[in-house]
Amino acid sequence: MNTPAWSGTVNRRTWLAALASGMALPTATGATHRPEITLRFSHVVAEETPKGLAANRFKVLVEQRSGGRIGVQVYPNAQLYGDHDEMQALQLGAVDLVAPSLSKFGRIGLPEFEMFDLPFLFDDLNAVRRITLGPLGQKLLQGLSRQGLVGLGFFDNGFKQMSANRPLLEPGDFAGLRMRVQASRVIAAQMRALGARPVTLAFSETRRALAAGVVDGTENPVSNFWTQAMHEVQSDLSLTEHGYLGYAVVTNQRFWQHLQADDRALINQALQESLAFANQIADTQNDQALLALRQAGTTRIHSLSAAQRRRMHQAVKPVQQQLARWIGERWMGDLKLALRKV
């Protein structure tokens, strides 16, 4: 995979350091012995994304506060497990923490998580957090116990944009395109409603598939688009902000219950602070990635007019009716109630 085309004299290391400047913390000192407990944290994106920075901050906090007694090994960029096998690896105990996108829970028997994939559902991140930080979010996390998992919290990567080798501003622009999607019935239905053909691929395989012409386009927050160098293989990025991309951090129930109560409390507190940090920087990182993308000059960037956005929204409205059939009217009712503006 080629590295991104960093502009001017600003290299990748400098940009990453600038993004992470808010997370500088002292490391544990005097801890030369092997940790008594080692947490393996696997994820599929780059270190300079909100997820990557949150994982690294979590590592520093845990090791610092435990005096090195608890260690954290972070494996970014699908080094251990990818989209298709990270959940199974967690359930089997091959890894201790993962932070999958919310789309991935549907395929392990938790279709209610697919509500987050509905296009044009959320007006802004405040609306998202009425779900993730409220009673409905807690109910969703508690439901993970059905699959032997413990849900520790949610965090954001912001809103998704559409990319291809042509502008995607009207429903008709999608006709005939093969669009890479996560394994989500809702996202696949969204692409079909727009006239495209959804192709399910792991995130780690997406750039290569775009370069080879296996797929024609995809959807991503700008930070993922930039850090995966998709701008080198996609000529156009359309700022549709049509859907939300968020994650849940989960662990294995057996592993979590095996820990001492004090260790669970330490780990959980460090994680909650790391997730709050990720939420604070999600918008900033997408803005910085968009600026870097404009400076690189390899991809045309398009904004939708209000009329174009309404037409795209209208085209995907049937997807909400499909989701209601899949997960049940009760969940949809709870969702609408939680999103009601106060």
Side-chain angles (χ1 to χ4, degrees), residues 123-142:
D123 293 334
D124 52 34
L125 288 176
N126 288 330
V128 174
R129 290 169 191 162
R130 286 205 290 276
I131 306 298
T132 58
L133 301 182
L136 184 54
Q138 288 306 304
K139 183 178 177 182
L140 288 164
L141 292 178
Q142 290 165 7

Side-chain angles (χ1 to χ4, degrees), residues 15-27 43 46-62 64-65 74 270 273-278 280-281 285:
W15 191 70
L16 176 55
L19 288 178
S21 61
M23 60 174 288
L25 293 165
T27 57
H43 66 82
E47 290 183 281
E48 59 267 38
T49 60
K51 186 191 293 191
L53 289 175
N56 290 341
R57 185 175 180 85
F58 171 72
K59 170 183 171 67
V60 172
L61 287 173
V62 168
Q64 175 194 22
R65 293 174 182 177
V74 179
E273 293 179 29
S274 301
L275 299 188
F277 169 75
Q280 289 172 358
I281 64 172
Q285 284 189 271

Side-chain angles (χ1 to χ4, degrees), residues 184-207:
S184 163
R185 293 178 298 179
V186 176
I187 298 175
Q190 163 197 281
M191 291 302 184
R192 285 192 290 267
L194 290 168
R197 192 179 92 190
V199 179
T200 302
L201 285 174
F203 180 72
S204 59
E205 299 170 8
T206 300
R207 187 194 181 279

Side-chain angles (χ1 to χ4, degrees), residues 34-329:
R34 292 173 62 87
E36 295 176 16
I37 301 168
T38 299
L39 307 178
R40 297 159 298 174
F41 193 156
S42 174
H43 66 82
V44 302
V45 298
E47 290 183 281
E48 59 267 38
T49 60
K51 186 191 293 191
L53 289 175
N56 290 341
R57 185 175 180 85
F58 171 72
K59 170 183 171 67
V60 172
L61 287 173
V62 168
E63 293 179 351
Q64 175 194 22
R65 293 174 182 177
S66 69
R69 189 176 58 82
I70 303 175
V72 179
Q73 294 178 347
V74 179
Y75 299 92
N77 270 323
Q79 289 176 4
L80 282 185
Y81 301 102
D83 280 332
H84 295 315
D85 54 8
E86 65 175 357
M87 295 291 280
Q88 183 180 21
L90 180 67
Q91 290 173 309
L92 293 173
V95 67
D96 306 307
L97 289 165
V98 296
S101 66
L102 301 174
S103 304
K104 297 197 181 84
F105 293 100
R107 70 187 188 203
I108 64 166
L110 298 159
E112 56 269 25
F113 278 83
E114 293 182 279
M115 66 175 67
F116 289 100
D117 290 335
L118 280 171
F120 299 101
L121 175 64
F122 300 109
D123 293 334
D124 52 34
L125 288 176
N126 288 330
V128 174
R129 290 169 191 162
R130 286 205 290 276
I131 306 298
T132 58
L133 301 182
L136 184 54
Q138 288 306 304
K139 183 178 177 182
L140 288 164
L141 292 178
Q142 290 165 7
L144 290 167
S145 63
R146 304 202 308 266
Q147 298 299 333
L149 304 174
V150 176
L152 299 176
F154 296 97
F155 66 109
D156 307 322
N157 197 4
F159 288 92
K160 297 181 288 186
Q161 324 297 343
M162 295 286 192
S163 71
N165 289 321
R166 65 191 190 210
L168 299 175
L169 304 175
E170 300 278 359
D173 297 333
F174 290 81
L177 292 181
R178 293 160 299 177
M179 297 291 287
R180 178 267 170 181
V181 298
Q182 304 185 64
S184 163
R185 293 178 298 179
V186 176
I187 298 175
Q190 163 197 281
M191 291 302 184
R192 285 192 290 267
L194 290 168
R197 192 179 92 190
V199 179
T200 302
L201 285 174
F203 180 72
S204 59
E205 299 170 8
T206 300
R207 187 194 181 279
R208 185 164 57 247
L210 290 166
V214 174
V215 292
D216 303 305
T218 187
E219 56 168 20
N220 272 296
V222 182
S223 62
N224 282 358
F225 185 82
W226 171 250
T227 57
Q228 295 294 317
M230 293 181 191
H231 64 288
E232 296 177 351
V233 293
Q234 295 273 264
S235 64
D236 293 84
L237 179 70
S238 300
L239 303 180
T240 52
E241 296 200 347
H242 61 281
Y244 166 75
L245 179 61
Y247 310 107
V249 178
V250 292
T251 187
N252 182 291
Q253 199 171 57
R254 293 188 303 277
F255 168 79
W256 189 248
Q257 292 172 349
H258 181 73
L259 295 172
Q260 295 294 323
D262 287 349
D263 289 339
R264 285 199 301 268
L266 186 154
I267 292 166
N268 188 55
Q269 180 62 33
L271 183 63
Q272 297 313 313
E273 293 179 29
S274 301
L275 299 188
F277 169 75
N279 283 344
Q280 289 172 358
I281 64 172
D283 276 351
T284 299
Q285 284 189 271
N286 281 311
D287 290 344
Q288 290 180 337
L290 184 59
L291 176 61
L293 185 60
R294 292 186 190 278
Q295 291 175 341
T298 56
T299 302
R300 294 185 294 268
I301 300 170
H302 312 275
S303 297
L304 273 68
S305 69
Q308 288 170 329
R309 186 175 173 82
R310 282 195 301 272
R311 287 191 287 272
M312 198 174 290
H313 188 182
Q314 186 64 32
V316 297
K317 272 191 173 181
V319 179
Q320 186 164 327
Q321 297 170 344
Q322 290 177 285
L323 181 63
R325 292 197 298 271
W326 291 332
I327 72 171
E329 292 290 349

